[in-house]
Amino acid sequence: GQNIDQPTEMTATEGAIVQINCTYQTSGFNGLFWYQQHAGEAPTFLSYNVLDGLEEKGRFSSFLSRSKGYSYLLLKELQMKDSASYLCAALDSNYQLIWGAGTKLIIKP
Amino acid sequence: IAGITQAPTSQILAAGRRMTLRCTQDMRHNAMYWYRQDLGLGLRLIHYSNTAGTTGKGEVPDGYSVSRANTDDFPLTLASAVPSQTSVYFCASGSGSSTDTQYFGPGTRLTVL
């Protein structure tokens, strides 16, 4: 079956760095997405990786290893507004998104 | 309208009633999607449409139907609601390319009693 695993919840301190991991098992693979979702709001796009390596976008970076079925989202210089759920989603061979349950990130002052 | 809108914002519905959730986008996106989001589970695709006039079934289509008469609108209908359809429903749209970003509406919180 197809499966996306990511931690349910993480806690970090304002100003610090946090890494949110995601492992995936899909029938075929056409890329990996990260979305941010604040409580009670819609998911919003953060990043897309299809090739191995690190993609940096301001305070946020996303990494992909296709051979390991692994990705992570790295958030630097954490701010209180980064408190949200982070959703990992893999694009399978039919170009349909398979979503993880999300990682709730709690930022403490 | 800017982006993608959904209506209603929330609804409480008696079991057995028929309900249509509305979704409209003004980005001229070809593809549109309906998801449900339940606590502890990932977003699950209900139905999708790659272009006006076509629709397809997602992971959890039973009990739901959709239509795509034009580019902008993609309503989701529950013919006879059941309590297990209590969820938050998100509509999304995208350009339709295989790896495009999906843009989400604000969601509809539906409770079926």
Side-chain angles (χ1 to χ4, degrees):
Chain A
Q2 306 202 96
N3 193 50
I4 306 285
D5 283 319
Q6 51 181 132
T8 303
E9 186 175 295
M10 298 181 71
T11 302
T13 304
E14 190 177 15
I17 299 173
V18 71
Q19 178 176 310
I20 302 173
N21 296 324
C22 170
T23 57
Y24 62 87
Q25 291 177 301
T26 54
S27 55
F29 178 76
N30 286 295
L32 191 123
F33 289 82
W34 284 97
Y35 280 75
Q36 180 189 59
Q37 186 177 24
H38 285 101
E41 298 184 8
T44 56
F45 170 78
L46 285 177
S47 67
Y48 169 70
N49 295 66
V50 66
L51 301 176
D52 285 355
L54 186 69
E55 297 268 350
E56 296 185 74
K57 194 184 294 185
R59 294 188 300 113
F60 292 10
S61 302
S62 56
F63 172 83
L64 177 67
S65 168
R66 295 177 67 127
S67 62
K68 294 182 179 178
Y70 167 70
S71 173
Y72 68 72
L73 182 69
L74 190 71
L75 292 74
K76 303 176 185 175
E77 302 169 17
L78 286 169
Q79 302 175 9
M80 297 304 293
K81 67 179 182 179
D82 297 329
S83 292
S85 288
Y86 292 86
L87 314 181
C88 173
L91 203 57
D92 72 7
S93 58
N94 293 319
Y95 293 95
Q96 292 213 349
L97 280 173
I98 309 301
W99 294 83
T103 298
K104 182 179 181 180
L105 178 63
I106 299 167
I107 310 295
K108 295 185 175 180
Chain B
I1 298 176
I4 185 165
T5 59
Q6 293 183 235
T9 302
S10 64
Q11 181 75 44
I12 299 173
L13 189 66
R17 298 296 296 269
R18 180 184 179 89
M19 176 75 191
T20 295
L21 308 186
R22 300 184 298 279
C23 175
T24 299
Q25 54 104 359
D26 67 353
M27 297 176 283
R28 308 305 295 171
H29 282 163
N30 284 323
M32 296 187 75
Y33 311 87
W34 273 105
Y35 291 95
R36 59 179 289 173
Q37 187 175 41
D38 302 291
L39 197 62
L41 299 177
L43 287 162
R44 291 183 291 170
L45 183 65
I46 304 170
H47 284 286
Y48 65 92
S49 168
N50 288 330
T51 190
T54 70
T55 61
K57 293 181 179 180
E59 179 187 357
V60 289
D62 293 344
Y64 305 94
S65 63
V66 291
S67 61
R68 187 87 184 276
N70 57 61
T71 297
D72 298 345
D73 301 301
F74 191 44
L76 175 75
T77 296
L78 289 68
S80 179
V82 295
S84 62
Q85 292 178 312
T86 293
S87 187
V88 180
Y89 291 85
F90 286 103
C91 179
S93 71
S95 66
S97 68
S98 56
T99 56
D100 77 320
T101 300
Q102 293 185 16
Y103 297 87
F104 285 79
T108 294
R109 184 173 295 275
L110 182 68
T111 302
V112 183
L113 301 176

